Amino acid sequence: MIVQPVLVVAAALFSLGIYGILVRRNAVMVLLSIELILNSVNINFIMFDTMLADTLMQGQIFTIFIITIAAAEVGIGLAIVLMLFRNRQTANINEFDLMKW
Amino acid sequence: MEIFEIVTYFILLALLSTAIRVVTTSNVIHAAISLVFTLALTAILFLILSTEFVALVLVLVYIGAVIVLFLFGIMITRAPLGKNAELDNDKNKKLGAAISGAIFLLFSYILINGFNGNVTITSGSSTELLGEILLTRFIFPFELVSFVLLAALIGGITLARKDEALIDEDQV
């Protein structure tokens, strides 16, 4: 199996995630786009792990670590969004301008 | 091996279309459900690449836990269910498309030119070896990650719960 199509699709997922972060207005949707980016990185890691046939399996191990960190990140991110929603009654990212100069 | 390639191309196409749907749909629930399909197709791709343990972890952690958390987040923040024209920031659409398109072209140029190889799909399990490596060579990062998860758990609870003492102070 040729590796390049999988890598290109992973790059496409990454750029779609960037597009979602830039365009979406709802904070939860931005977190969804971040998950898309992390997923594309996972695909890259697994593809290179299979391609290089590493004896230490570092691609798979890093993917497991990334999945764990992503779960923690979603928990913290949603807690922050929830607190902002409680204070401002909105999840719209344009309204969170407290730290904007 | 020929059938594997055809199946892989179909999965990649479906992966792309569901990912596009995640970022373009104007319905928040549809975006979350499309992300479920994207992750499920990713798990199938991992199974084809003979990394079955990672595929199962992806299904368990992402589809089982993270998506449920997202649906809770969508419903608690009272995002308007159904079609919502206000979901996208129309001012940023052209700029976002230009930036992400540039990133895609750059990455695919580098990846196509830099890596040219063939993968031979092997049958057989690698999970036993993976567990052995994870608990010997990578034991320190493994324990560190468990500590990070504990910290995230405590931080999430502290952030999300109502602080009664603070509310009392405001009223006084």
Side-chain angles (χ1 to χ4, degrees):
Chain A
M1 200 172 81
I2 312 159
V3 295
Q4 282 154 343
V6 181
L7 297 178
V8 169
V9 166
L13 286 192
F14 187 91
S15 52
L16 280 172
I18 296 276
Y19 175 79
I21 288 176
L22 289 174
V23 166
R24 288 302 201 190
R25 200 177 256 166
N26 188 324
V28 181
M29 290 294 110
V30 173
L31 284 176
L32 270 183
S33 307
I34 292 173
E35 291 308 311
L36 218 54
I37 289 183
L38 289 167
N39 197 34
S40 85
V41 174
N42 285 345
I43 293 175
N44 251 343
F45 264 123
I46 292 293
M47 193 67 233
F48 282 119
D49 180 81
T50 314
M51 181 181 147
L52 300 172
D54 183 16
T55 48
L56 268 181
M57 294 187 171
Q58 294 179 61
Q60 294 185 45
I61 284 167
F62 268 81
T63 309
I64 292 169
F65 285 152
I66 289 170
I67 290 171
T68 320
I69 299 290
E73 171 256 324
V74 167
I76 292 287
L78 281 176
I80 291 172
V81 171
L82 202 65
M83 211 179 64
L84 285 170
F85 177 76
R86 198 176 286 147
N87 288 332
R88 296 281 182 100
Q89 270 72 45
T90 176
N92 189 340
I93 267 186
N94 294 349
E95 316 238 344
F96 302 149
D97 51 2
L98 194 68
M99 294 174 94
K100 221 175 185 176
W101 185 55
Chain B
M1 278 306 142
E2 193 61 39
I3 186 92
F4 266 127
E5 286 195 22
I6 295 163
V7 171
T8 311
Y9 283 125
F10 269 112
I11 287 169
L12 291 179
L13 271 179
L15 199 61
L16 263 184
S17 57
T18 49
I20 288 170
R21 194 156 165 67
V22 171
V23 293
T24 54
T25 180
S26 58
N27 188 328
V28 279
I29 300 289
H30 285 187
I33 301 298
S34 300
L35 190 67
V36 172
F37 283 112
T38 313
L39 294 167
L41 288 164
T42 310
I44 296 171
L45 185 67
F46 287 180
L47 279 180
I48 289 176
L49 294 172
S50 67
T51 54
E52 69 283 331
F53 182 69
V54 183
L56 293 178
V57 166
L58 197 83
V59 171
L60 272 177
V61 175
Y62 265 109
I63 302 176
V66 169
I67 293 294
V68 175
L69 213 60
F70 267 119
L71 289 175
F72 268 115
I74 288 169
M75 284 165 191
I76 286 175
T77 55
R78 275 184 233 146
L81 304 180
K83 257 185 160 348
N84 179 16
E86 292 281 290
L87 198 63
D88 283 355
N89 206 343
D90 287 329
K91 261 193 310 185
N92 290 355
K93 255 185 184 167
K94 271 183 192 159
L95 188 67
I99 290 174
S100 58
I103 288 173
F104 172 66
L105 286 179
L106 184 68
F107 276 18
S108 47
Y109 176 76
I110 292 169
L111 287 170
I112 287 174
N113 280 306
F115 301 100
N116 193 4
N118 269 297
V119 171
T120 47
I121 312 271
T122 54
S123 63
S125 164
S126 59
T127 307
E128 192 185 345
L129 190 60
L130 183 70
E132 212 174 293
I133 292 167
L134 196 61
L135 288 177
T136 52
R137 176 75 172 77
F138 289 94
I139 184 69
F140 183 64
F142 184 74
E143 296 293 334
L144 207 65
V145 155
S146 67
F147 188 74
V148 167
L149 270 182
L150 178 71
L153 181 72
I154 295 171
I157 293 171
T158 318
L159 277 173
R161 76 166 186 176
K162 266 208 172 83
D163 203 338
E164 300 291 339
L166 219 70
I167 293 167
D168 284 349
E169 250 173 47
D170 284 346
Q171 282 169 351
V172 171

